[in-house]
Amino acid sequence: MGLDLPLGSDPAAVRQRIEALEKVLERSFSVAGQPVGLDAIVGLVPVAGDVVSAALGLYLVWEARNLGISKFKLARMLANVGFDTAVGAIPVAGDLFDFVFRSNSRNLKMIRRHLDKHHPHTRIIEQ
């Protein structure tokens, strides 16, 4: 993919990493005109897929914790990942649910709001 992601712990580096991860997990490619990511595809593999998907979702929560996001928002983020994992573990129905409920996108939205408020210099203007 040619991504050159920074390894630093500064807010700008974290923003680049989590936005790239969210894109890979939730909207890496298109199927029948709908954006689909690794989260939904890996979730098709019983048990192991759900574990990998949850671990990657928890990485976003860990980065948010390191940024100093509030405990309430961390709890909401954990609930998003937990709900996605629990429902996604249900055969067939959970796989369909993974295409609709995008916990990583929801969590990224919370992190972006935090970064925009507390670290406005990291904001990226999209064209």
Side-chain angles (χ1 to χ4, degrees):
M1 280 189 0
L3 291 174
D4 187 25
L5 296 175
L7 299 176
S9 61
D10 60 292
V14 171
R15 177 177 277 226
Q16 285 182 319
R17 280 196 310 271
I18 62 175
E19 286 183 350
L21 179 61
E22 185 272 341
K23 183 175 182 177
V24 168
L25 289 174
E26 301 294 4
R27 46 195 172 89
S28 348
F29 51 92
S30 182
V31 173
Q34 291 292 90
V36 178
L38 194 63
D39 184 29
I41 302 303
V42 171
L44 294 172
V45 178
V47 184
D50 295 317
V51 170
V52 168
S53 183
L56 291 170
L58 289 172
Y59 173 76
L60 290 175
V61 177
W62 180 74
E63 287 283 20
R65 184 190 140 276
N66 290 340
L67 287 170
I69 203 164
S70 73
K71 289 182 181 182
F72 175 74
K73 287 183 183 174
L74 280 175
R76 284 181 53 200
M77 292 174 74
L78 284 169
N80 283 338
V81 173
F83 183 67
D84 187 25
T85 303
V87 176
I90 300 169
V92 183
D95 298 328
L96 295 173
F97 176 78
D98 274 339
F99 286 99
V100 179
F101 186 79
R102 301 180 185 277
S103 65
N104 299 304
S105 296
R106 291 170 184 252
N107 289 345
L108 177 63
K109 189 175 179 180
M110 283 190 265
I111 296 171
R112 276 184 176 156
R113 275 192 241 126
H114 173 80
L115 285 168
D116 290 348
K117 181 177 180 182
H118 298 285
H119 305 282
H121 63 281
T122 67
R123 188 175 295 170
I124 299 170
I125 298 173
E126 297 178 16
Q127 296 181 13

